[in-house]
Amino acid sequence: MNAPSRQTGLGFTLLCMVALTLICAPFHAARADMPASANHAVSIPEQIDLQSKRLMAAMRQGDLRSARSRVQYLVSLRVKAHIANLTPVAAAFLSRFRHLVAGESSDDAQVLAAMAVDLAPDYPAIYFNLADAYLDRGIRMIGPATGAFFQGLAAYSRYPRGLVTAIGNISFYAVFSIIMMVLMVSVILVFRHGRTLAHDISDLFPSAPAAAFSAPEVARSRSVRFIIQSGLTRTLAFFITFLVLVLPLAAGLGLLVVVLIWTMFIGVYVRRSELAAVIFVHLGIILILPLGILTYMPLAMEQSQGPKLWACLREYCWSDQVEGLNRLLVSQPDDPWVNTALALHRVQGGLNDPRSLTLASHQLMGAQLDPKGSIATLRGNIQVLQALALCPHGKPDKGALVTARESFKSALRSVPDSPQALRGLSIADGILRDTKALEKHIQRLVDVSPEQDLSFVARIRTLTSSDKVCKNLGGISAMLRTPPPPDFATYFRGFDPLESPQAIPFRTLMLGRLPIRWLPVLTLISLLLFLAVLLVRKRYSFAYVCPRCGGVSCDRCNVDASGFDYCPTCLLEQVRPAFLDPLDLVALQRKQDRKRHWVRLLLPLVSLLVPGSGQVMSGRPVRGLMMIGCLSFALGLVLNPTPYLVDYVAYSGSPGPDLPALPPLLLGMVYFWSAIDIWLTRRR
Amino acid sequence: MTNTSSFPDQGIDLSRPSDSLPLYAALERCYQDGKSGVLTVTHDDTRTPITVLQGRVISVINQTTAAGSVMGLLERSGLIGERDVLRAKKAARKKGLFIEDAVVASGLVSDGTLASTREKLCLEMLMELLIRRDVAVTAVWTVRRGTREMCSLPIPFLLREAQRRATHIPTIQRAVPSNSLVFIKSSSLTGKPGDERWEDLQLSVAERQVYFFVDGRRTVADLALATCQSEFNVAQALHALMELDLVKASPGAGAGSAGTHALRSAVLRLTSLVAALGLLLALTAVALDLRMAEDSPSNRINEFDPFKAVRAAGPVDRLKGAVRLYEMTYGESPDSFEDLLKEHYVLRDDRKAAATFKIGQGYLLKSGPAGSGQASERNAEHPTKGRTEK
């Protein structure tokens, strides 16, 4: 490229910077109102509350047998009450489990842990506890322990509150790590290519003579004034480069935007191995917005109706949630899940109470049927319970049972293989003594049932054939099942992630006055510009570092200095006077190499101080990036050892005041890795 | 290397150079008679003693061959720097050595390079004197003991070289009439600069060296300085380059204009850099000032920071969970923060949040003696007292 075109290119970049500054000047950080904290009084069904207190008392006293029987009883209460998960009870159980089983045999502990899974089958921590209990029995139980562990992981798909909290905590650390990685890699790359950038910036200014070899110049070059002058111009050029890089930050653009501008500047100098690092910087910045949303999501969800609705459906309603759901019904009277939640709440509150069951049934009448047949199945279940609760003349209410059968059939029209509807239908058939229909539906149920334990089939036959079926409402209720609602669709109902605030550390410093929603757009634009710069940079002659002598030069300076497009320093070596002994020339070269060697000595030191930095400096950015990532993640863990996002409904105590083992282990591993890498690459 | 612009005048009878060149004649006689001694050459009020020993010139004492010139040449060749020279002078004074010997002793330069340098200087000085007619030569046919050997130049070689140069001088002088002439590369006049490839040049080492330094601003004298060659050798190389049409004489430019141009360029560059720096500093100061005005403490207080909200939520949520856990375990609400801490339900750092965490009619963090409500074993059948949290 000839000088005027390169000047135009750099001038255009500077113009863009000024334009960006002016555009962003009027913006202020958006003020998002602090969400008001919600009222979270818990209203657990009384009988369950009583039994859970007894369970905790038994655990406090270390009475394993009593605890086991309480757990069994609580599980049966849960199933009868149509509560999918007793999550707070399970969490409380976990808080005392280790204390309870200390001193007991590991077999007993594992049995109790397995039983406790049924307290909250969708709660992941209960499976992890079971995996722990398996491992306490020895290494031979690694198989079941792994199975339990993976069951716990799978449970997250049914427990959105826990998943959102876990993802929020991971995002908290991830956003911190990514910001550190982005900043460190960018600073190091700018440092690495700073000399070439300074050279090109100084070439924008009028050039001084290339070398002092005329007689007057030789004399002058020995004078202090000239030495200061030449050093001064170099220093001024570096200062100007520094200010050009820092001005956008001073103008309020924020570090992340400044990093994008830096990548555009250094785009012309990066090598192929550094491309991955620059692309990562862009991708990292793009990820910051969604990670910020994910970090804040648990707090943002507290104001939304979805979590409350989900809790009502999959755990039990809290007192303030019922009011909220009733308010929601005013605007959406036929909403299937709100009606289902309120109906379940009534059933849980009065299983034996015909009035509660009637109200529950009426609640569902106004609901729009869902495509999975859940409403129809629940309606059928309630009608079966109604039939048994009423029991006129000591016999189940036939009308209610017939209506129940219709409801189950309606569900089966939507989902022909619904095990829950087939269960209910079989029970209704059994109570109605329709043996043929019973066997037919039981056969279908067995064919489609996902459960491995099919003993419920025998129990259905036994319970429904009994003459005292009216007295066995609890047992019948325990056999009925309702299809689960779509967990995530319910939980995230009414929540718009794009409207949610984003939790970004050091927000003002990172973003300045820029609205965060502009960040991904700017990053994409920057990435496209960077790719465009890569495509066209070969056409223009930018500064480069001579691989032989380490000096910085450019094509124009080469031609100005010697008339040839070669590094003038290297070329000068070839035109040394003939009277010089070749051994002296070799000694001179070695002396110059030794001077450059100190830089190479510095890199290992820097790598040991900050793992990854030396690797990026020495042209291995991918490896350096990985080390910096691990380092920043470990630092995040050390600075914030306890996660900030807590699922207080399923809270089972704090992890304790001591630093967990992972952060120092990870730090040690990263430093060790860096040291090994330095050792292995010492001769390069 | 001489810095004078004198090329010898023409009119030398090359068939009988000893008739017209005094020093030539003296050396010839010296060699023929096998004599050794000191030939003193007087020219331009300068005396140059030349010591001849057994058919070889071993010493030429002149400013051009003095230690200063040797050091200057080594410096210009790039082998040593100014600091190295100062260090060598200091060492020479300390150890009582000649400075050139001190440079060798300190390992900066090898014996071979020093010897070659001295020999070159002596040779050029002799060549200059050999082809001059306006010199007077007196001879003393004794050699003082302890005469320092600076070179070892055979007299036949000197005489042949002098004859050769005298033969070429007219041709060279026609091409390079003055040492203040400036030459320019032909490629910079005709083609695009930078298109020429260095490795494609079919030149001798000396010619390549001269060609490298030709830049349209350096005079012949400047080229001699830069290449560390004599003006004659430079002129010879330039003549060869002109024959190959690689360089051309550049009209108008001279040493004076090059120096002035250099100074003007440096001043312009410095001024523009300072101006740019000043402008950038001013912009930065204005930008910082504006930002500080906007980022006032009152503005900061009103801004909601979601990240800080997340960090603040952790202790509060732990307290909520801990209170619920305590109530489920003991059937009653905790009396104070210490009750929860004792059970390891909360962290010590949550104390700050406990100060504003309402429980019942009071706050969780109480003043006065801690643990007023002990976590005693209670009958779990006590009814739960519904408490509203914060």
Side-chain angles (χ1 to χ4, degrees), chain A residues 384-410:
Chain A
V384 166
L385 294 174
Q386 258 185 313
L388 295 176
L390 289 169
C391 266
H393 314 298
K395 297 268 185 214
D397 184 340
K398 198 169 176 183
L401 285 169
V402 168
T403 316
R405 276 172 83 169
E406 291 309 312
S407 298
F408 290 128
K409 283 176 182 169
S410 160

mmCIF file of all heavy atoms in Angstrom, chain A residues 384-410:
data_model
loop_
_atom_site.group_PDB
_atom_site.id
_atom_site.type_symbol
_atom_site.label_atom_id
_atom_site.label_comp_id
_atom_site.label_asym_id
_atom_site.label_seq_id
_atom_site.Cartn_x
_atom_site.Cartn_y
_atom_site.Cartn_z
ATOM 1 N N VAL A 384 -62.944 -39.902 40.831
ATOM 2 C CA VAL A 384 -62.812 -41.191 41.531
ATOM 3 C C VAL A 384 -62.765 -40.935 43.026
ATOM 4 O O VAL A 384 -63.448 -41.626 43.818
ATOM 5 C CB VAL A 384 -61.537 -41.933 41.066
ATOM 6 C CG1 VAL A 384 -61.204 -43.076 41.993
ATOM 7 C CG2 VAL A 384 -61.691 -42.421 39.643
ATOM 8 N N LEU A 385 -61.971 -39.948 43.451
ATOM 9 C CA LEU A 385 -61.869 -39.634 44.886
ATOM 10 C C LEU A 385 -63.225 -39.150 45.416
ATOM 11 O O LEU A 385 -63.619 -39.482 46.545
ATOM 12 C CB LEU A 385 -60.802 -38.563 45.117
ATOM 13 C CG LEU A 385 -59.353 -38.977 44.800
ATOM 14 C CD1 LEU A 385 -58.420 -37.781 44.927
ATOM 15 C CD2 LEU A 385 -58.906 -40.095 45.719
ATOM 16 N N GLN A 386 -63.908 -38.365 44.575
ATOM 17 C CA GLN A 386 -65.246 -37.898 44.975
ATOM 18 C C GLN A 386 -66.177 -39.078 45.213
ATOM 19 O O GLN A 386 -66.940 -39.107 46.194
ATOM 20 C CB GLN A 386 -65.830 -37.029 43.849
ATOM 21 C CG GLN A 386 -65.747 -35.560 44.108
ATOM 22 C CD GLN A 386 -66.445 -34.780 43.002
ATOM 23 O OE1 GLN A 386 -66.252 -35.023 41.816
ATOM 24 N NE2 GLN A 386 -67.263 -33.839 43.396
ATOM 25 N N ALA A 387 -66.108 -40.027 44.260
ATOM 26 C CA ALA A 387 -66.970 -41.211 44.358
ATOM 27 C C ALA A 387 -66.727 -41.946 45.668
ATOM 28 O O ALA A 387 -67.661 -42.420 46.328
ATOM 29 C CB ALA A 387 -66.718 -42.135 43.172
ATOM 30 N N LEU A 388 -65.472 -42.010 46.092
ATOM 31 C CA LEU A 388 -65.132 -42.727 47.323
ATOM 32 C C LEU A 388 -65.380 -41.867 48.548
ATOM 33 O O LEU A 388 -65.663 -42.357 49.634
ATOM 34 C CB LEU A 388 -63.671 -43.181 47.277
ATOM 35 C CG LEU A 388 -63.344 -44.201 46.192
ATOM 36 C CD1 LEU A 388 -61.860 -44.507 46.157
ATOM 37 C CD2 LEU A 388 -64.124 -45.487 46.410
ATOM 38 N N ALA A 389 -65.217 -40.552 48.398
ATOM 39 C CA ALA A 389 -65.445 -39.670 49.548
ATOM 40 C C ALA A 389 -66.943 -39.602 49.868
ATOM 41 O O ALA A 389 -67.350 -39.545 51.031
ATOM 42 C CB ALA A 389 -64.891 -38.278 49.253
ATOM 43 N N LEU A 390 -67.739 -39.581 48.803
ATOM 44 C CA LEU A 390 -69.201 -39.516 49.023
ATOM 45 C C LEU A 390 -69.716 -40.850 49.575
ATOM 46 O O LEU A 390 -70.372 -40.899 50.619
ATOM 47 C CB LEU A 390 -69.923 -39.164 47.713
ATOM 48 C CG LEU A 390 -69.743 -37.720 47.235
ATOM 49 C CD1 LEU A 390 -70.259 -37.545 45.807
ATOM 50 C CD2 LEU A 390 -70.468 -36.762 48.181
ATOM 51 N N CYS A 391 -69.412 -41.930 48.748
ATOM 52 C CA CYS A 391 -69.839 -43.287 49.129
ATOM 53 C C CYS A 391 -71.253 -43.328 49.738
ATOM 54 O O CYS A 391 -71.443 -43.671 50.913
ATOM 55 C CB CYS A 391 -68.851 -43.930 50.106
ATOM 56 S SG CYS A 391 -67.611 -44.956 49.276
ATOM 57 N N PRO A 392 -72.278 -42.972 48.958
ATOM 58 C CA PRO A 392 -73.642 -43.028 49.520
ATOM 59 C C PRO A 392 -74.038 -44.490 49.829
ATOM 60 O O PRO A 392 -73.764 -45.387 49.019
ATOM 61 C CB PRO A 392 -74.502 -42.459 48.392
ATOM 62 C CG PRO A 392 -73.692 -42.593 47.153
ATOM 63 C CD PRO A 392 -72.260 -42.596 47.544
ATOM 64 N N HIS A 393 -74.526 -44.690 50.930
ATOM 65 C CA HIS A 393 -74.939 -46.024 51.372
ATOM 66 C C HIS A 393 -73.759 -46.997 51.407
ATOM 67 O O HIS A 393 -73.903 -48.182 51.159
ATOM 68 C CB HIS A 393 -76.048 -46.629 50.463
ATOM 69 C CG HIS A 393 -77.141 -45.667 50.156
ATOM 70 N ND1 HIS A 393 -77.967 -45.113 51.154
ATOM 71 C CD2 HIS A 393 -77.542 -45.102 48.990
ATOM 72 C CE1 HIS A 393 -78.820 -44.276 50.593
ATOM 73 N NE2 HIS A 393 -78.585 -44.234 49.272
ATOM 74 N N GLY A 394 -72.628 -46.497 51.705
ATOM 75 C CA GLY A 394 -71.460 -47.351 51.878
ATOM 76 C C GLY A 394 -70.902 -47.909 50.576
ATOM 77 O O GLY A 394 -70.033 -48.765 50.596
ATOM 78 N N LYS A 395 -71.449 -47.425 49.440
ATOM 79 C CA LYS A 395 -70.943 -47.909 48.162
ATOM 80 C C LYS A 395 -70.400 -46.711 47.395
ATOM 81 O O LYS A 395 -70.931 -45.596 47.526
ATOM 82 C CB LYS A 395 -72.086 -48.548 47.337
ATOM 83 C CG LYS A 395 -72.693 -49.756 47.988
ATOM 84 C CD LYS A 395 -71.980 -51.009 47.512
ATOM 85 C CE LYS A 395 -72.718 -52.201 48.101
ATOM 86 N NZ LYS A 395 -71.847 -53.262 48.396
ATOM 87 N N PRO A 396 -69.428 -46.928 46.569
ATOM 88 C CA PRO A 396 -68.895 -45.798 45.778
ATOM 89 C C PRO A 396 -69.959 -45.218 44.864
ATOM 90 O O PRO A 396 -70.792 -45.946 44.345
ATOM 91 C CB PRO A 396 -67.771 -46.443 44.950
ATOM 92 C CG PRO A 396 -67.427 -47.697 45.657
ATOM 93 C CD PRO A 396 -68.672 -48.158 46.341
ATOM 94 N N ASP A 397 -69.894 -43.883 44.659
ATOM 95 C CA ASP A 397 -70.885 -43.184 43.847
ATOM 96 C C ASP A 397 -70.685 -43.570 42.391
ATOM 97 O O ASP A 397 -69.676 -43.224 41.766
ATOM 98 C CB ASP A 397 -70.702 -41.677 44.037
ATOM 99 C CG ASP A 397 -71.740 -40.862 43.316
ATOM 100 O OD1 ASP A 397 -72.382 -41.370 42.370
ATOM 101 O OD2 ASP A 397 -71.920 -39.692 43.691
ATOM 102 N N LYS A 398 -71.665 -44.296 41.869
ATOM 103 C CA LYS A 398 -71.523 -44.843 40.527
ATOM 104 C C LYS A 398 -71.481 -43.733 39.488
ATOM 105 O O LYS A 398 -70.697 -43.773 38.536
ATOM 106 C CB LYS A 398 -72.698 -45.778 40.242
ATOM 107 C CG LYS A 398 -72.445 -46.719 39.086
ATOM 108 C CD LYS A 398 -73.530 -47.775 39.031
ATOM 109 C CE LYS A 398 -73.267 -48.626 37.775
ATOM 110 N NZ LYS A 398 -74.308 -49.624 37.597
ATOM 111 N N GLY A 399 -72.313 -42.712 39.692
ATOM 112 C CA GLY A 399 -72.349 -41.606 38.720
ATOM 113 C C GLY A 399 -70.996 -40.952 38.578
ATOM 114 O O GLY A 399 -70.521 -40.683 37.475
ATOM 115 N N ALA A 400 -70.394 -40.700 39.733
ATOM 116 C CA ALA A 400 -69.065 -40.067 39.714
ATOM 117 C C ALA A 400 -68.052 -40.960 39.017
ATOM 118 O O ALA A 400 -67.188 -40.486 38.270
ATOM 119 C CB ALA A 400 -68.625 -39.755 41.139
ATOM 120 N N LEU A 401 -68.178 -42.254 39.242
ATOM 121 C CA LEU A 401 -67.229 -43.185 38.630
ATOM 122 C C LEU A 401 -67.414 -43.241 37.119
ATOM 123 O O LEU A 401 -66.428 -43.298 36.364
ATOM 124 C CB LEU A 401 -67.398 -44.587 39.226
ATOM 125 C CG LEU A 401 -66.831 -44.756 40.641
ATOM 126 C CD1 LEU A 401 -67.284 -46.070 41.249
ATOM 127 C CD2 LEU A 401 -65.309 -44.679 40.641
ATOM 128 N N VAL A 402 -68.685 -43.216 36.702
ATOM 129 C CA VAL A 402 -68.927 -43.229 35.256
ATOM 130 C C VAL A 402 -68.381 -41.960 34.621
ATOM 131 O O VAL A 402 -67.746 -41.994 33.560
ATOM 132 C CB VAL A 402 -70.445 -43.410 34.978
ATOM 133 C CG1 VAL A 402 -70.752 -43.124 33.519
ATOM 134 C CG2 VAL A 402 -70.903 -44.799 35.379
ATOM 135 N N THR A 403 -68.624 -40.840 35.300
ATOM 136 C CA THR A 403 -68.075 -39.568 34.786
ATOM 137 C C THR A 403 -66.552 -39.617 34.737
ATOM 138 O O THR A 403 -65.913 -39.113 33.815
ATOM 139 C CB THR A 403 -68.543 -38.400 35.673
ATOM 140 O OG1 THR A 403 -69.905 -38.532 35.976
ATOM 141 C CG2 THR A 403 -68.264 -37.063 35.003
ATOM 142 N N ALA A 404 -65.994 -40.265 35.770
ATOM 143 C CA ALA A 404 -64.536 -40.399 35.811
ATOM 144 C C ALA A 404 -64.040 -41.191 34.615
ATOM 145 O O ALA A 404 -63.046 -40.847 33.985
ATOM 146 C CB ALA A 404 -64.104 -41.048 37.128
ATOM 147 N N ARG A 405 -64.739 -42.268 34.289
ATOM 148 C CA ARG A 405 -64.322 -43.093 33.146
ATOM 149 C C ARG A 405 -64.344 -42.276 31.870
ATOM 150 O O ARG A 405 -63.455 -42.377 31.025
ATOM 151 C CB ARG A 405 -65.261 -44.294 32.993
ATOM 152 C CG ARG A 405 -64.893 -45.468 33.888
ATOM 153 C CD ARG A 405 -65.943 -46.525 33.856
ATOM 154 N NE ARG A 405 -65.791 -47.411 32.713
ATOM 155 C CZ ARG A 405 -66.458 -48.558 32.559
ATOM 156 N NH1 ARG A 405 -67.322 -48.935 33.472
ATOM 157 N NH2 ARG A 405 -66.282 -49.307 31.506
ATOM 158 N N GLU A 406 -65.392 -41.441 31.732
ATOM 159 C CA GLU A 406 -65.460 -40.598 30.532
ATOM 160 C C GLU A 406 -64.267 -39.659 30.469
ATOM 161 O O GLU A 406 -63.700 -39.413 29.411
ATOM 162 C CB GLU A 406 -66.777 -39.806 30.499
ATOM 163 C CG GLU A 406 -68.002 -40.660 30.270
ATOM 164 C CD GLU A 406 -67.829 -41.565 29.069
ATOM 165 O OE1 GLU A 406 -67.405 -41.095 27.982
ATOM 166 O OE2 GLU A 406 -68.096 -42.771 29.204
ATOM 167 N N SER A 407 -63.930 -39.108 31.636
ATOM 168 C CA SER A 407 -62.780 -38.188 31.680
ATOM 169 C C SER A 407 -61.492 -38.902 31.259
ATOM 170 O O SER A 407 -60.708 -38.384 30.463
ATOM 171 C CB SER A 407 -62.620 -37.623 33.092
ATOM 172 O OG SER A 407 -63.743 -36.876 33.470
ATOM 173 N N PHE A 408 -61.306 -40.130 31.769
ATOM 174 C CA PHE A 408 -60.092 -40.878 31.421
ATOM 175 C C PHE A 408 -60.093 -41.211 29.927
ATOM 176 O O PHE A 408 -59.051 -41.149 29.263
ATOM 177 C CB PHE A 408 -59.989 -42.169 32.252
ATOM 178 C CG PHE A 408 -59.699 -41.920 33.709
ATOM 179 C CD1 PHE A 408 -60.500 -42.497 34.702
ATOM 180 C CD2 PHE A 408 -58.639 -41.094 34.105
ATOM 181 C CE1 PHE A 408 -60.228 -42.265 36.048
ATOM 182 C CE2 PHE A 408 -58.384 -40.869 35.451
ATOM 183 C CZ PHE A 408 -59.177 -41.446 36.431
ATOM 184 N N LYS A 409 -61.252 -41.554 29.413
ATOM 185 C CA LYS A 409 -61.315 -41.885 27.983
ATOM 186 C C LYS A 409 -61.030 -40.654 27.147
ATOM 187 O O LYS A 409 -60.409 -40.744 26.091
ATOM 188 C CB LYS A 409 -62.691 -42.483 27.640
ATOM 189 C CG LYS A 409 -62.818 -43.934 28.090
ATOM 190 C CD LYS A 409 -64.193 -44.487 27.832
ATOM 191 C CE LYS A 409 -64.265 -45.932 28.355
ATOM 192 N NZ LYS A 409 -65.622 -46.457 28.379
ATOM 193 N N SER A 410 -61.511 -39.515 27.630
ATOM 194 C CA SER A 410 -61.217 -38.273 26.917
ATOM 195 C C SER A 410 -59.714 -38.025 26.888
ATOM 196 O O SER A 410 -59.151 -37.608 25.877
ATOM 197 C CB SER A 410 -61.975 -37.134 27.611
ATOM 198 O OG SER A 410 -61.416 -35.909 27.279
#
